[in-house]
Amino acid sequence: MFSIKVKYNEEIRRCSFKERPNFLLFKNTLTKLFSHVSFEKVTIKYQDEEGDLITVSSDIELQEAFSLNNSLLRVFLVTSPLPKVNPSPVAPKTEDDNKPAVHYRVICDGCEKAPIVGNRFKCTTCFDYDLCSDCESKGIHKETGHSFNKIEKPFKPFFRSGRGRGCGRYGRCTRWRSKFCKTGQFSSQENDGDRAHACFVKDVTVPSGTEIFANTEFIKIWKFRNDGKVAWPSNSRLVFSFGDKLTKSDYVSVEEAVKPGDEVDVAVAMVAPSLPGKYVSYWQLSSPDDHAFYGPKVWVDILVKERVKEPESTYSKKESDTEICLKILKEMGLTDEERNRIALIKNNNDISGAVRDLLL
């Protein structure tokens, strides 16, 4: 049960949902509760753990709000600027106040400058899109019609396992770019030599935006590299973090230990939802005892389409080929059907290639 307390001026209302609602259902519910309010002039916000009022205007932002407020989500309907929550006393200015702000771990998506120095402009719609002052003044990204929040001072980095988007607020390298992880330019700032590091290398299968028919099984494979100083323990996990759940299980295991510098493919068997639309599922590597690795969350981003009925003969042949290959692998003593199916899909039903992968 997910409870929500909503405040508009002096009026407070409360409601509950059996499951986490999407943003459309969430906003429709608020519209019914506050039928006298013009939502065209209202911004939906929630208060995070730092006391900031965060705008919610999309499914991803709403799920982030729920992940930070598991027991009760407090929502504010704002029609005019509100005073800062618990304002701290104004400190006298120092020499550091005259220096330009440095937003560590944040990359400009326009010119690739890292870190951003000076004002940071964060897109209010895109999950992870930032610009420096120069690129913002050039009008980059404005053709999308998205707006930006101007951030003058960087967030204080701190560490928390299991949730958070990083890039400033949580102090993690959450940019999905292998070259950024390779540089190690921030490693000297952290005392984390004994912590497992993971760097995303590439999408092996199902790149972002892939179109998939409804109710179709598919295998998402990510390639990671251990770019730390310690080996990953055996039976490490790739764990579902938040977003759309496309699997029955919450995690898959990485059975073998991964040495520093080695790369590994991690595969997750998924099923496309039955309704058309865009679905995004976020995952993160962690140790067997659920301590998140130092490194990025990764995602699978699919567009689900209604299935077009294929000719019976073509579909039946494809299905029978896979089943025949599964029987052959079973007769060879390879009895884990799920692993066998993943290996066959990866190798396009080539028995020798599947056996080679299974025996590695």
Side-chain angles (χ1 to χ4, degrees):
M1 186 71 70
F2 296 90
S3 297
I4 300 173
K5 183 183 288 186
V6 189
K7 182 175 182 180
Y8 174 70
N9 294 334
E10 298 302 319
E11 184 178 359
I12 300 177
R13 294 176 182 268
R14 182 169 179 157
C15 63
S16 299
F17 297 90
K18 291 183 178 179
E19 299 179 350
R20 283 189 182 183
N22 58 32
F23 181 72
L24 181 60
L25 176 59
F26 178 72
K27 187 173 181 180
N28 287 342
T29 302
L30 297 186
T31 303
K32 293 178 181 178
L33 290 175
F34 295 88
S35 57
H36 57 290
V37 176
S38 174
F39 274 77
E40 294 180 355
K41 302 179 181 179
V42 166
T43 302
I44 302 172
K45 294 178 178 285
Y46 72 95
Q47 184 174 315
D48 69 3
E49 70 283 355
E50 295 177 355
D52 295 322
L53 291 176
I54 309 300
T55 300
V56 178
S57 61
S58 66
D59 284 337
I60 291 177
E61 291 169 324
L62 180 60
Q63 299 311 316
E64 173 79 355
F66 275 118
S67 68
L68 295 174
N69 301 270
N70 290 324
S71 58
L72 177 65
L73 176 60
R74 293 177 172 83
V75 176
F76 301 87
L77 303 182
V78 180
T79 54
S80 59
L82 293 180
K84 288 186 177 180
V85 180
N86 297 326
S88 56
V90 178
K93 287 190 175 183
T94 64
E95 291 184 3
D96 290 337
D97 293 331
N98 297 323
K99 296 180 180 179
V102 179
H103 301 266
Y104 291 107
R105 303 176 184 271
V106 185
I107 298 176
C108 174
D109 287 282
C111 63
E112 300 290 329
K113 182 192 296 182
I116 290 178
V117 178
N119 292 329
R120 167 190 175 191
F121 294 85
K122 182 169 184 61
C123 182
T124 59
T125 302
C126 299
F127 178 72
D128 186 13
Y129 195 93
D130 300 273
L131 293 177
C132 65
S133 296
D134 292 339
C135 291
E136 193 277 337
S137 64
K138 295 175 183 177
I140 294 177
H141 200 60
K142 285 190 176 179
E143 69 278 0
T144 62
H146 297 174
S147 59
F148 284 84
N149 281 336
K150 179 180 177 181
I151 303 175
E152 297 180 350
K153 294 183 179 180
F155 296 112
K156 266 190 177 179
F158 65 96
F159 297 95
R160 175 179 296 172
S161 62
R163 70 186 187 189
R165 292 186 288 188
C167 273
R169 178 178 296 176
Y170 295 106
R172 292 185 187 151
C173 166
T174 56
R175 187 70 64 183
W176 280 257
R177 298 173 184 161
S178 58
K179 67 176 182 180
F180 183 66
C181 297
K182 283 180 181 178
T183 62
Q185 57 182 304
F186 300 112
S187 60
S188 62
Q189 298 181 20
E190 317 295 348
N191 184 18
D192 57 358
D194 296 330
R195 186 178 178 187
H197 285 229
C199 179
F200 168 73
V201 178
K202 67 176 182 178
D203 293 302
V204 179
T205 63
V206 194
S208 292
T210 298
E211 295 184 348
I212 299 179
F213 289 123
N215 300 316
T216 299
E217 295 182 359
F218 64 97
I219 306 297
K220 174 64 183 182
I221 303 176
W222 294 275
K223 183 180 288 292
F224 295 92
R225 180 177 58 256
N226 181 348
D227 65 340
K229 299 179 181 178
V230 298
W232 300 356
S234 57
N235 292 317
S236 296
R237 300 174 174 183
L238 182 64
V239 182
F240 171 73
S241 183
F242 64 94
D244 298 302
K245 197 166 187 295
L246 307 178
T247 60
K248 293 182 180 178
S249 175
D250 288 334
Y251 68 90
V252 295
S253 295
V254 183
E255 297 179 359
E256 301 295 330
V258 180
K259 297 178 181 178
D262 287 354
E263 295 183 350
V264 63
D265 289 349
V266 182
V268 182
M270 300 185 176
V271 181
S274 57
L275 297 178
K278 180 182 177 69
Y279 295 87
V280 185
S281 181
Y282 294 87
W283 296 71
Q284 184 168 29
L285 284 164
S286 73
S287 63
D289 54 356
D290 290 332
H291 286 85
F293 284 10
Y294 181 89
K297 285 185 175 69
V298 294
W299 69 79
V300 56
D301 174 2
I302 60 172
L303 293 173
V304 176
K305 303 193 305 181
E306 291 185 5
R307 177 176 292 279
V308 178
K309 191 172 182 181
E310 300 179 5
E312 186 67 26
S313 58
T314 303
Y315 183 77
S316 298
K317 182 178 185 302
K318 184 178 179 181
E319 184 178 38
S320 62
D321 286 346
T322 303
E323 296 304 321
I324 291 172
C325 292
L326 286 171
K327 290 179 181 179
I328 293 173
L329 292 176
K330 187 175 182 180
E331 291 172 358
M332 295 171 66
L334 301 168
T335 57
D336 190 330
E337 184 173 333
E338 183 176 356
R339 286 192 65 202
N340 294 349
R341 189 180 296 275
I342 291 173
L344 287 171
I345 292 175
K346 183 179 178 181
N347 290 277
N348 198 23
N349 283 341
D350 177 63
I351 292 290
S352 59
V355 171
R356 183 174 61 253
D357 286 354
L358 290 168
L359 295 180
L360 285 178

